[in-house]
Amino acid sequence: MEAADNNSYRHILRYTSVFGGVQGLNILVSLVRNKFVALILGPSGMGLVSLFNTTVNFVSQSTTLGISTSAVRHLSEFPEDDQHPQIVQFVKVVRAWSLLTALLGMLVCMVLGPILSSTTFAWGDHTLHFILLAPAVGMLAITGGETAILKGRRRLRSLALVQVGAVMAALLISVPVYYFFGEAGIVPVIVTMAFVTMLLTVKNSYRLYPLQLWGVRGILGDGMEMVRLGVAFTLAGIIGSGAEMLIRSWLNVEGNLGTLGLYNAGYMITVTYAGMVFSAMETDYFPRLSAVNTDIVATNETVNKQIEVSILIVSPMLVVLIIFLPVLIPLLFSNEFIPVITMTQVATLAMFFKALTLPVAYITLARGYSMMYLFLESTYFVVFVLLIIFGYQQWGLLGTGIAITLANLFDYLMINGVARWRYGYKMSSTVMQYSAIHILVGLLAYFTTITVDGYAYWIFGIGFSFVSVLFSLLILHQKTHLWEALTRRFRTH
């Protein structure tokens, strides 16, 4: 049993490390890109990039019918044989529906261009920009369908290669275009990157399942169960993307593009960079959880082990981030972004709760309870928007950071309460111990940032960082015999 447990922990750690490493590379390259973009476009230009990207994601989420999520669940339940006739047929279903939603998304983006312009911007007519962004929406739909196929069949190496290729292309394409064309290059960059990402994804997916145009009659009807499940995901996506778009539009009107650029930079650091640990969940964890979704004991074990590894990996990163943000912000962006430091430090605390919430939230998805998922997501985003508005009105950008943390605390309490009531989920005592220690260290690190200055700041800050790192390494070694595995691998090489 112990060997099996160690193997299970090793599996989670391995794929969290793989996709965390890929995400880390993505972040490293993104840091270089964002540095150039910040210097070239400034806060207002980054705010404009944020508005266009958020709107494209909103239209995409609204028209893809949740295929990128519901298809993964269905494909995970099929036999392991990749060429099983049921799987080959279902791949045709996913591709047919992806193409249909791509055409729908482009049409919606073009038709609603004037409305999107008037609701997103308080100045100028940007209808043409949204019409030109329509192809990006269509390509995102195709990419989502092919990515679901790779996830559902656990083609983790291919997914990793796609992510690396896409972020490298983003660096090579965006920086020269922004340098020569400035803000006029934003729309071409978004469309070009959607095209490159689609090509990379299609290449890997078609290698596994070559495109077949025969036997497609009636295939749309075969996907109705997937679509029915995905509609709730779509509605949740609309609410989520709509909430993000509403917040950014409100900040643009209430403040200005500079304020929006600062908020977006802080939010990106807080959520996106911590996502390097969470990225493995959707790729590896969700299919594993879907395979045991009817077994309460197996579900509890799978969820709790995922939380353990996630909290042990992400917590030291968060403590280091909180302490070193005064150095990182000017380095990653420019001195113009220094006002966002206090917001980002308090918002980073939200990721402790995110690490405890996200694995539990996937239970609802794995069981296919679409309406419950819709209710939970809707409730969270309503609270999130209200807290952001209240926080900004009371304390400016710092208030938005406080709002992000409070919203994630609310989400943690809500998700865990529902999971215990509906699915019989129980958080293990081990998870509670690890999370209590790491959250305490995180809070001490944050209070250091607001109470201590000078040399004492760095002494206490580095000390708390060391404690967090050491604790996680000791526990991970105990769970997986990490040091022996690393030294053995080093000797073999």
Side-chain angles (χ1 to χ4, degrees):
M1 177 64 72
E2 183 179 356
D5 286 345
N6 286 336
N7 289 335
S8 178
Y9 281 112
R10 285 181 181 177
H11 174 92
I12 299 171
L13 182 60
R14 181 186 305 118
Y15 285 107
T16 300
S17 301
V18 167
F19 283 94
V22 170
Q23 192 70 11
L25 177 62
N26 292 352
I27 290 171
L28 181 62
V29 176
S30 297
L31 292 179
V32 177
R33 186 182 75 245
N34 289 334
K35 177 68 174 182
F36 282 111
V37 174
L39 291 174
I40 295 170
L41 301 182
S44 62
M46 291 194 72
L48 195 59
V49 172
S50 172
L51 280 176
F52 281 135
N53 274 319
T54 304
T55 307
V56 167
N57 290 332
F58 171 70
V59 177
S60 177
Q61 290 277 2
S62 304
T63 56
T64 55
L65 303 180
I67 290 173
S68 61
T69 302
S70 58
V72 173
R73 177 179 179 272
H74 281 76
L75 286 165
S76 300
E77 295 177 337
F78 284 126
E80 294 185 4
D81 178 15
D82 286 329
Q83 299 307 317
H84 192 282
Q86 284 182 303
I87 300 176
V88 174
Q89 178 65 15
F90 195 75
V91 167
K92 295 180 186 179
V93 172
V94 174
R95 286 175 174 165
W97 276 100
S98 296
L99 178 59
L100 181 64
T101 58
L103 297 174
L104 174 64
M106 288 191 291
L107 179 63
V108 169
C109 193
M110 288 187 289
V111 171
L112 297 184
I115 299 176
L116 294 173
S117 176
S118 61
T119 56
T120 306
F121 292 91
W123 47 271
D125 184 2
H126 298 268
T127 301
L128 180 60
H129 290 147
F130 289 112
I131 293 175
L132 294 175
L133 286 169
V137 175
M139 288 183 282
L140 284 175
I142 300 296
T143 302
E146 300 301 327
T147 301
I149 294 171
L150 293 174
K151 287 179 181 178
R153 300 316 300 164
R154 307 289 298 282
R155 288 299 180 267
L156 305 181
R157 181 175 179 273
S158 296
L159 289 166
L161 291 174
V162 169
Q163 292 180 24
V164 172
V167 76
M168 293 301 295
L171 175 64
L172 297 176
I173 292 171
S174 62
V175 173
V177 173
Y178 289 145
Y179 179 78
F180 287 107
F181 299 100
E183 293 183 356
I186 293 175
V187 171
V189 165
I190 293 174
V191 175
T192 304
M193 280 314 307
F195 178 69
V196 171
T197 305
M198 182 186 71
L199 285 184
L200 292 172
T201 309
V202 165
K203 177 184 176 182
N204 284 276
S205 180
Y206 279 22
R207 184 183 298 142
L208 179 62
Y209 295 105
L211 181 64
Q212 297 179 5
L213 299 178
W214 59 88
V216 296
R217 175 177 293 183
I219 204 168
L220 293 179
D222 295 338
M224 288 307 298
E225 181 182 353
M226 173 186 68
V227 171
R228 279 194 294 269
L229 179 61
V231 166
F233 300 152
T234 299
L235 294 175
I238 292 174
I239 294 170
S241 297
E244 295 289 349
M245 189 170 68
L246 176 62
I247 288 171
R248 283 162 172 77
S249 299
W250 185 82
L251 287 173
N252 182 34
V253 174
E254 187 74 10
N256 50 52
L257 272 178
T259 301
L260 175 58
L262 292 172
Y263 169 82
N264 193 62
Y267 188 84
M268 179 176 61
I269 291 174
T270 303
V271 177
T272 305
Y273 295 166
M276 63 186 294
V277 175
F278 304 142
S279 63
M281 292 192 190
E282 187 177 354
T283 307
D284 171 62
Y285 168 67
F286 180 41
R288 284 192 292 111
L289 185 64
S290 297
V292 298
N293 69 82
T294 58
D295 187 332
I296 296 177
V297 175
T299 295
N300 281 349
E301 182 180 12
T302 302
V303 172
N304 283 320
K305 285 183 177 179
Q306 186 69 41
I307 296 177
E308 288 180 37
V309 174
S310 297
I311 198 73
L312 289 171
I313 294 178
V314 78
S315 295
M317 296 170 50
L318 298 177
V319 174
V320 171
L321 183 63
I322 290 171
I323 296 300
F324 284 89
L325 273 172
V327 176
L328 291 174
I329 291 291
L331 182 65
L332 300 180
F333 299 97
S334 68
N335 289 333
E336 293 181 88
F337 289 81
I338 288 177
V340 82
I341 291 175
T342 54
M343 167 209 163
T344 311
Q345 285 174 323
V346 67
T348 301
L349 296 174
M351 295 301 101
F352 287 98
F353 299 112
K354 192 77 169 180
L356 298 173
T357 304
L358 200 55
V360 183
Y362 273 105
I363 300 176
T364 303
L365 292 175
R367 295 200 174 189
Y369 294 155
S370 54
M371 296 309 296
M372 177 57 72
Y373 172 77
L374 176 61
F375 168 76
L376 294 173
E377 287 291 290
S378 302
T379 304
Y380 165 74
F381 280 112
V382 168
V383 172
F384 181 66
V385 170
L386 293 177
L387 285 173
I388 288 288
I389 293 174
F390 176 78
Y392 182 77
Q393 289 177 334
Q394 296 298 316
W395 304 289
L397 280 174
L398 173 63
T400 64
I402 296 172
I404 292 171
T405 297
L406 291 178
N408 278 270
L409 173 59
F410 168 80
D411 197 37
Y412 162 74
L413 296 173
M414 177 179 65
I415 293 292
N416 278 268
V418 170
R420 185 178 182 87
W421 166 55
R422 287 291 301 272
Y423 316 130
Y425 167 71
K426 294 181 180 179
M427 181 176 286
S428 68
S429 59
T430 303
V431 169
M432 289 189 283
Q433 292 170 8
Y434 296 166
S435 59
I437 292 172
H438 272 304
I439 291 176
L440 176 61
V441 175
L443 287 172
L444 291 173
Y446 174 70
F447 284 122
T448 297
T449 67
I450 60 178
T451 58
V452 182
D453 295 315
Y455 288 111
Y457 174 91
W458 294 109
I459 293 173
F460 281 106
I462 293 173
F464 289 132
S465 300
F466 177 77
V467 169
S468 184
V469 171
L470 182 62
F471 178 76
S472 286
L473 286 178
L474 289 174
I475 298 300
L476 287 172
H477 169 66
Q478 179 185 358
K479 296 287 186 181
T480 64
H481 302 298
L482 180 62
W483 180 249
E484 288 86 343
L486 291 175
T487 53
R488 189 185 311 116
R489 179 170 297 182
F490 177 77
R491 287 195 298 269
T492 59
H493 288 283

